[in-house]
Amino acid sequence: GAVVSQHPSWVICKSGTSVKIECRSLDFQATTMFWYRQFPKQSLMLMATSNEGSKATYEQGVEKDKFLINHASLTLSTLTVTSAHPEDSSFYICSAKREGNTGELFFGEGSRLTVL
Amino acid sequence: LAKTTQPISMDSYEGQEVNITCSHNNIATNDYITWYQQFPSQGPRFIIQGYKTKVTNEVASLFIPADRKSSTLSLPRVSLSDTAVYYCLVGDRGGSYIPTFGRGTSLIVHP
């Protein structure tokens, strides 16, 4: 099956610093990727839709200046949490939709962010 | 977007068949039903997808009645490793599809 890889799988940072999370589709091209955030015992919350070569579309309530998304190529999308604070600590998951497929989503392994 | 409703949790025992039902009363004509499984601290993974009637693969079956307002994921002879959260998503397969997750069903399989 198709593989989506996220890096890093976990990261600890100090409050006020920025953290970048990468999402790569390893064996297929993805014009569209999705970024989710998941708090403990809760469902995945869609943050934004990342479109290759254009600006991301953010869900209501998600600060676009805080969560910077860049989808510069057909195999890479990045999420940068700027000026991170403890409340940004969460599990971030990306997914990619392969062109022409059945609509099946391929998910990364997730990235655990802890802000001290 | 079709909203989905699932039981919050279910318990079962090893070797039993587990059926998880998802309600999606306002499913649209072009919508498909897709189920995902998520283990703690991992991204979800695809289980099965269907449009109508019955779909079966090596891990599960998906039953969809004629009105398509609900669907049932059937896991045959579950094992401890099937303990996970199961999500059903409903949407078309086109480029405009924005996959949003409901609360999911937390399945716990007991020895």
Side-chain angles (χ1 to χ4, degrees):
Chain A
V3 178
V4 173
S5 177
Q6 268 185 255
H7 178 80
S9 56
W10 60 269
V11 57
I12 301 173
C13 70
K14 293 182 178 180
S15 185
T17 61
S18 294
V19 174
K20 179 185 286 187
I21 300 170
E22 294 186 345
C23 179
R24 294 180 183 274
S25 55
L26 299 183
D27 53 356
F28 66 99
Q29 294 182 333
T31 57
T32 303
M33 292 185 175
F34 305 96
W35 285 96
Y36 297 87
R37 179 167 56 180
Q38 186 174 35
F39 293 108
K41 304 293 185 183
Q42 294 188 24
S43 182
L44 285 75
M45 184 189 78
L46 180 65
M47 299 175 66
T49 301
S50 172
N51 301 296
E52 186 270 336
S54 63
K55 293 182 178 180
T57 302
Y58 291 82
E59 295 298 301
Q60 188 173 8
V62 178
E63 301 176 58
K64 62 180 182 181
D65 294 330
K66 182 170 185 59
F67 300 99
L68 302 179
I69 292 172
N70 184 282
H71 194 155
S73 77
L74 287 172
T75 59
L76 174 63
S77 176
T78 60
L79 167 67
T80 302
V81 183
T82 63
S83 186
H85 291 282
E87 57 265 31
D88 299 322
S89 298
S90 189
F91 191 55
Y92 292 87
I93 307 170
C94 72
S95 70
K97 181 175 176 295
R98 186 168 57 187
E99 289 304 303
N101 78 336
T102 61
E104 176 185 344
L105 298 174
F106 301 94
F107 289 84
E109 310 94 325
S111 299
R112 174 79 56 192
L113 171 63
T114 301
V115 184
L116 302 177
Chain B
L1 295 174
K3 181 180 178 180
T4 60
T5 303
Q6 301 174 233
I8 294 175
S9 64
M10 294 183 69
D11 288 87
S12 184
Y13 292 90
E14 285 189 290
Q16 289 188 334
E17 177 184 79
V18 172
N19 296 307
I20 306 174
T21 298
C22 179
S23 296
H24 28 79
N25 291 319
N26 59 338
I27 188 170
T29 302
N30 294 330
D31 287 346
Y32 282 73
I33 301 154
T34 310
W35 285 79
Y36 292 88
Q37 175 192 56
Q38 186 185 27
F39 296 114
S41 297
Q42 294 186 26
R45 66 175 187 177
F46 173 90
I47 300 175
I48 198 167
Q49 183 183 78
Y51 182 81
K52 62 179 179 181
T53 62
K54 177 184 175 181
V55 180
T56 298
N57 62 22
E58 62 274 11
V59 297
S61 294
L62 179 59
F63 298 92
I64 305 168
D67 66 6
R68 304 200 327 121
K69 293 184 182 298
S70 67
S71 59
T72 299
L73 173 72
S74 181
L75 306 172
R77 296 182 299 281
V78 294
S79 63
L80 296 178
S81 62
D82 292 314
T83 294
V85 179
Y86 293 83
Y87 298 94
C88 78
L89 274 69
V90 175
D92 65 39
R93 304 192 301 193
S96 62
Y97 174 45
I98 306 297
T100 55
F101 284 74
R103 298 184 65 177
T105 299
S106 176
L107 171 66
I108 299 176
V109 180
H110 302 276

